[in-house]
Amino acid sequence: MNTNVDVVIAGGGIGGLVTALCLHKAGFSVQIYEASQILKPLGVGIGMRSHGTKFLYELGLAEDLDKLGIRARATQYYSKNGQFIHEELRGLEAGYNWPEYLVHRGDLQLLLCKHVLEKVGKSSVVLGHKLIGFESFAEHVEVKFLDRSSNEIVKKSAKLLIGADGISSTVRTILYPDEGPPVWSGVAMWCGVQRVDKLFLDGRTTLLMGNLNRRLVVYPINENSICWFCHVRIDGPGVKLHKTADWNTIGRVEDILPLFEEMKTDFLDISNMIRTTEKVWEFPVTDRNPLPKWTHNRVTLLGDAAHAMYPIGGNGAAQAIFPIIREVRPAFPMEDTVTIGYNVADAQALVQCFQRYGPTVEALEEYDNIRRGIATSIVNSNRQGGPQQVLKIVDEHSPNGFKDIRDIISKEEVDAIIRKYNRLAGFDLNTLNNEPNVFPNDENKKEYTRDDKQKES
Ligand SMILES: Cc1cc2nc3c(=O)[nH]c(=O)nc-3n(C[C@H](O)[C@H](O)[C@H](O)COP(=O)(O)OP(=O)(O)OC[C@H]3O[C@@H](n4cnc5c(N)ncnc54)[C@H](O)[C@@H]3O)c2cc1C
């Protein structure tokens, strides 16, 4: 059968769009089918850590990212009583060669879509097409979509199908019909974006406050907006989901305001921020149990569809955008999932590997072998709190506050927790800075170096 595209991607979220951009850049033809009829800037904020930025820069987004978001400088950890625990430098300030960005999630999605339309082609993103089924044949996969404007079923063929259709993935449900809904952590999250005249602290810092049962995260997403997330444990992990994991559910300020009234800082009026936010959303913090396999013949999963994880460590989006070609590389020994980190020193080999295998089942199998174990480790680590274990330790040892944080936890212990997570999640400083580019001969690439950093300051 003649198929006119190599890869059909179901889902035009951050994972699907970046995958389209990089596959196109590597010379493969791609087509995205997105269920929504209009792409609107939905969501709140998202952190794009340096490993994600590195790749987005290679894809030509450097200048646009600078215009869109905020270059993060640091994350500050505070106890629930507002006592300072630790400052973790981020991006260039931490020594990475690439910044970390804090952006509005919807703005990032629209920016990526603009790049896909410009580079891959005007017809490369088909909106209003919801994947409802597929069938693999010897040489191709036939994918069925519901065209939501005509209500007709449309069939498309490709060599491969990538399910990048998010946490409630239809592709995943078809592959694992008995799995059920996402797994609820027992934590509910309220979030919103507040317009401000002035950003708090230096305008490039994330505030992380509380403990693993009640936690506040606030960060700037552009020059005049900050976004906030209030996490509240209301049940134990693994209980049946009380609400669907839908980012469009409206939340009520009254439900959370009393719970966060005692959290105070001298640089941000937290109660006022929550009270004056125009729209508040509520979302149950969910993830997915790791799967025994992502690739099934000509079909695979990517991003949240494959490994939805708790929003901890500023990692969800960056994990999704680790592109498929970068994940296809010769297997390396998994000695210990924590120490292995994300060694992408062989990124160039990955591209060659994909080019060697072509858009084939072998390529998808290799992707599954390499990537699934690492993603599973991150999902599991996030269930334990990831780097936010620091908050847990401090809270358990000093529920009523402390005189000196060093009586509770040493700087070395904090650094070790954060470093361990960074290695696991693929942003170990030295490893990342020394990795070759995925597209090493690209003349258009723009990299920010220490010199840029000095110029900025
Ligand atoms: C509306 C929305 C708002 C979000 N807001 C935030 C936020 O504020 N902060 C945060 O940290 N994370 C947010 N997330 C999650 C975050 O975007 C992801 O965790 C991360 O970016 C991984 O992206 P992904 O592409 O794998 O999944 P997603 O970003 O979820 O994208 C999946 C895409 O697939 C589409 N889709 C679903 N089913 C089908 C189907 N059957 N056929 C075709 N297309 C389909 C969806 O419409 C969506 O566009 C949000 C997700 C969504 C969908």
Side-chain angles (χ1 to χ4, degrees):
M1 161 134 197
N2 248 346
T3 52
N4 51 14
V5 286
D6 292 326
V7 183
V8 156
I9 299 172
I14 291 166
L17 291 164
V18 175
T19 304
L21 275 177
C22 68
L23 286 179
H24 169 76
K25 196 172 166 81
F28 299 97
S29 55
V30 282
Q31 183 84 48
I32 294 182
Y33 292 89
E34 161 59 45
S36 308
Q37 286 174 294
I38 308 170
L39 277 194
K40 287 188 260 175
L42 296 175
V44 187
I46 225 163
M48 182 58 64
R49 298 200 60 164
S50 298
H51 58 326
T53 303
K54 177 180 185 186
F55 193 61
L56 291 185
Y57 274 23
E58 278 201 66
L59 294 174
L61 275 93
E63 280 167 31
D64 282 344
L65 278 175
D66 261 339
K67 283 186 211 143
L68 194 71
I70 297 281
R71 287 183 174 203
R73 185 194 65 81
T75 293
Q76 292 189 353
Y77 295 61
Y78 290 83
S79 73
K80 62 175 188 266
N81 316 313
Q83 289 187 283
F84 177 80
I85 298 172
H86 180 72
E87 177 173 273
E88 178 196 354
L89 295 177
R90 294 292 184 91
L92 296 174
E93 276 74 8
Y96 290 104
N97 287 340
W98 301 270
E100 168 172 333
Y101 284 98
L102 304 168
V103 289
H104 187 285
R105 183 254 173 212
D107 289 347
L108 177 62
Q109 186 186 16
L110 293 189
L111 173 68
L112 287 165
C113 189
K114 176 180 129 255
H115 277 256
V116 171
L117 294 175
E118 281 170 10
K119 291 170 184 161
V120 187
K122 280 195 183 125
S123 54
S124 59
V125 181
V126 182
L127 295 178
H129 279 57
K130 181 177 163 52
L131 179 142
I132 52 169
F134 56 81
E135 198 176 343
S136 279
F137 296 91
E139 302 286 326
H140 72 287
V141 54
E142 190 175 88
V143 193
K144 259 196 254 171
F145 296 95
L146 175 70
D147 177 343
R148 296 174 71 182
S149 53
S150 66
N151 233 6
E152 279 172 11
I153 290 174
V154 178
K155 289 183 185 171
K156 298 286 166 189
S157 291
K159 293 189 180 113
L160 302 173
L161 165 65
I162 297 176
D165 49 346
I167 192 165
S168 302
S169 163
T170 308
V171 178
R172 182 174 174 129
T173 305
I174 293 169
L175 295 174
Y176 293 93
D178 300 328
E179 189 190 16
V183 184
W184 187 36
S185 59
V187 172
M189 180 177 84
W190 287 258
C191 53
V193 174
Q194 192 206 20
R195 303 273 299 174
V196 289
D197 294 332
K198 191 175 171 302
L199 301 175
F200 66 90
L201 290 174
D202 62 353
R204 298 172 57 207
T205 296
T206 295
L207 163 69
L208 181 57
M209 192 176 207
N211 56 34
L212 295 191
N213 293 330
R214 199 171 297 176
R215 196 169 77 247
L216 174 72
V217 183
V218 191
Y219 54 84
I221 48 174
N222 55 47
E223 289 306 327
N224 41 34
S225 316
I226 56 175
C227 74
W228 55 265
F229 299 83
C230 289
H231 295 79
V232 181
R233 173 162 297 289
I234 47 182
D235 218 325
V239 288
K240 199 164 176 288
L241 193 59
H242 71 311
K243 290 193 174 165
T244 49
D246 177 356
W247 284 92
N248 295 315
T249 307
I250 302 286
R252 292 171 358 129
V253 167
E254 311 85 91
D255 291 339
I256 39 163
L257 205 51
L259 304 176
F260 286 83
E261 252 164 3
E262 289 188 354
M263 287 197 187
K264 292 193 191 320
T265 69
D266 54 9
F267 54 83
L268 179 69
D269 184 342
I270 293 166
S271 293
N272 181 57
M273 173 190 74
I274 296 173
R275 206 178 307 113
T276 58
T277 294
E278 216 177 296
K279 266 190 189 158
V280 174
W281 314 99
E282 186 186 343
F283 188 82
V285 175
T286 49
D287 68 2
R288 287 285 192 180
N289 284 327
L291 289 177
K293 202 122 179 59
W294 293 348
T295 295
H296 295 252
N297 205 349
R298 296 188 166 270
V299 181
T300 199
L301 300 168
L302 181 137
D304 279 5
H307 50 66
M309 55 185 69
Y310 297 166
I312 283 176
N315 204 17
Q319 286 301 325
I321 74 159
F322 270 126
I324 199 157
I325 49 172
R326 206 171 155 200
E327 289 160 337
V328 178
R329 57 185 163 162
F332 53 87
M334 292 275 276
E335 332 135 55
D336 166 343
T337 48
V338 174
T339 56
I340 214 159
Y342 214 94
N343 177 9
V344 280
D346 50 3
Q348 186 177 351
L350 291 186
V351 177
Q352 288 164 344
C353 183
F354 197 83
Q355 284 166 338
R356 189 165 74 241
Y357 286 118
T360 60
V361 176
E362 287 77 10
L364 294 191
E365 284 292 348
E366 192 86 334
Y367 158 71
D368 188 311
N369 284 339
I370 302 308
R371 187 74 184 112
R372 195 165 38 77
I374 296 168
T376 298
S377 307
I378 303 171
V379 170
N380 289 334
S381 172
N382 282 10
R383 285 181 176 179
Q384 306 306 317
Q388 298 182 13
Q389 280 170 39
V390 172
L391 296 180
K392 181 171 176 250
I393 294 169
V394 172
D395 193 59
E396 280 171 0
H397 289 87
S398 57
N400 300 316
F402 48 80
K403 274 203 185 108
D404 182 345
I405 185 62
R406 295 300 160 235
D407 298 336
I408 312 296
I409 190 166
S410 69
K411 184 175 179 312
E412 290 69 31
E413 278 174 89
V414 176
D415 287 341
I417 291 171
I418 293 170
R419 243 194 341 264
K420 181 172 161 184
Y421 186 81
N422 289 357
R423 272 203 307 273
L424 167 74
F427 36 88
D428 174 65
L429 185 82
N430 290 328
T431 312
L432 190 66
N433 281 351
N434 291 314
E435 277 165 9
N437 279 348
V438 176
F439 300 101
N441 300 320
D442 187 356
E443 286 168 11
N444 297 321
K445 72 172 187 272
K446 177 165 186 209
E447 282 181 24
Y448 279 80
T449 62
R450 258 5 101 60
D451 295 343
D452 290 306
K453 185 181 153 192
Q454 271 159 13
K455 270 186 236 149
E456 278 167 27
S457 58

